Amino acid sequence: MTKRLNIIILTAIISILACNAKTNVNIVFIGNSITEGALLDDPATQSPPAQAVRFIQNNTDTQIRYTNCGYGGRTTVDFLPDTGFIFGKVTEASDGLAAHQGMMVFSISLGTNDSACRGPLGAPVVPQQYYTNMKVIIDRLLTRYPGSIVVIQYPLWYSPNTYNGAEYLLEGQKRLQTYYPEIDRLVELYSRTHPGRVTSGSKDAYGQFRDNSEALFVHESGNAGIFYLHPNATGAKLLGEYWGRSIIDATKLKYKK
C-alpha cells in the first residue's frame, strides 16, 4: 500500500513539474481581414491566428493566451498610434494580456490593403511610407511593452485581378512585393537598435499560395472576375502554420521531440 501511495505521489509531482515547465506566451495578432479570418465559417477556430496558436501548442510545451486584432479593410495608416483609430483597440487588448505572466509577442501582418490602387485609407501606400508607418507602430509597441518581441509577417499573394470594394489589380500586386525589402530593412535596423526583439516570418508562403491559389483561397466574385484574396479553411491552416513557426523561431521555443 505504501509503495502504491509513493507511486501516486511521484506521478502527481511529475505532472506538476511538467505543467510548471510550460512556457507562458501572450500573443497579439495585428492585421487586416486575412488575420481576422474573413469569409471563414468559424473564424474563432479557423483563422490564421487560431491555427498558429494550435500549431505552437501542438509542437511545443507552451501555454498561450492570445487575441486577434485583425480588422478588415485596414492599412498601416489605420494602425498609426497617434492618428489612426485602431491602435487604441490594440493596446487595450494587449494591456489585458500583458497583465498575465509570460512573454509578450506581437505578430503583425499588414500591407495587403496598403497596396491597393484605391479604396482603403491611405492607399496606395508607397514603399518608403509603408516602412515609416510600420516603424512608428513597432516603436510604440516596443516602448509600451518592454521585453516584447515583434514578428513581421510578409503580406500574402493575391491574384492580379483582385477588385472588390477596393481596387487592387496587377498594379497593387506589384506594389505589395515592394514591401518585402522594406520589411527586411526594418528587421536589419532593429537587429542593431533592439537586438533579438524584431524578426520576420517566412517569404515562402507567397509562392505557396500563388502556386496553389485555387485550393487555398476562397473563390470570390469581383469586378474583374473570380479573384483570390482571402484564404479558405485549408489556406488559413497553412498560413497559421507559417506564422506559428515564425513565432517559435522568434521566441526560441523548443520543439517537442
Side-chain angles (χ1 to χ4, degrees):
M1 189 68 177
T2 302
K3 184 178 180 181
R4 177 180 172 80
L5 180 60
N6 288 339
I7 292 174
I8 293 173
I9 293 172
L10 181 60
T11 302
I13 291 173
I14 292 173
S15 298
I16 292 171
L17 290 175
C19 289
N20 290 337
K22 287 183 178 291
T23 302
N24 294 308
V25 178
N26 304 312
I27 308 174
V28 180
F29 292 91
I30 298 172
N32 47 47
S33 58
I34 294 173
T35 300
E36 185 180 29
L39 305 184
L40 295 172
D41 292 335
D42 185 17
T45 60
Q46 295 177 310
S47 67
Q51 298 286 2
V53 168
R54 188 172 296 116
F55 180 85
I56 297 169
Q57 290 178 324
N58 287 342
N59 289 279
T60 68
D61 288 317
T62 309
Q63 292 181 322
I64 298 176
R65 291 184 177 88
Y66 81 100
T67 186
N68 187 339
C69 290
Y71 298 96
R74 303 306 174 188
T75 64
T76 55
V77 179
D78 290 295
F79 282 91
L80 289 174
D82 296 324
T83 56
F85 72 97
I86 299 294
F87 195 79
K89 295 182 179 181
V90 172
T91 55
E92 182 180 356
S94 302
D95 288 349
L97 287 184
H100 297 281
Q101 180 184 6
M103 188 185 307
M104 196 74 178
V105 179
F106 293 93
S107 173
I108 305 177
S109 179
L110 291 170
T112 298
N113 296 312
D114 296 68
S115 71
C117 299
R118 59 181 58 86
L121 182 64
V125 176
V126 298
Q128 180 58 48
Q129 192 60 51
Y130 176 81
Y131 173 94
T132 300
N133 291 350
M134 288 289 284
K135 185 176 184 302
V136 170
I137 295 166
I138 293 169
D139 282 349
R140 186 65 62 89
L141 293 174
L142 293 176
T143 299
R144 186 180 180 96
Y145 304 97
S148 62
I149 291 174
V150 175
V151 183
I152 309 173
Q153 308 292 357
Y154 293 96
L156 198 61
W157 176 91
Y158 58 75
S159 62
N161 67 327
T162 298
Y163 188 177
N164 47 22
E167 181 181 338
Y168 298 83
L169 302 178
L170 180 59
E171 178 186 335
Q173 188 200 68
K174 289 182 177 180
R175 185 178 299 109
L176 182 79
Q177 295 172 60
T178 66
Y179 297 159
Y180 276 46
E182 302 306 321
I183 292 174
D184 294 340
R185 284 181 59 210
L186 284 165
V187 172
E188 194 280 328
L189 170 68
Y190 286 114
S191 71
R192 291 182 278 109
T193 62
H194 297 75
R197 294 187 62 189
V198 179
T199 65
S200 57
S202 173
K203 295 179 180 179
D204 294 342
Y206 188 96
Q208 187 72 260
F209 277 78
R210 177 196 61 208
D211 297 341
N212 300 280
S213 56
E214 290 192 11
L216 298 176
F217 285 96
V218 176
H219 295 208
E220 302 180 58
S221 180
N223 298 320
I226 300 299
F227 67 91
Y228 305 117
L229 175 64
H230 296 99
N232 59 22
T234 302
K237 183 175 185 293
L238 178 61
L239 185 59
E241 290 175 359
Y242 275 111
W243 289 4
R245 288 191 186 93
S246 69
I247 292 171
I248 290 173
D249 291 343
T251 55
K252 296 180 170 53
L253 294 171
K254 292 183 179 179
Y255 283 93
K256 293 179 182 177
K257 294 182 179 180

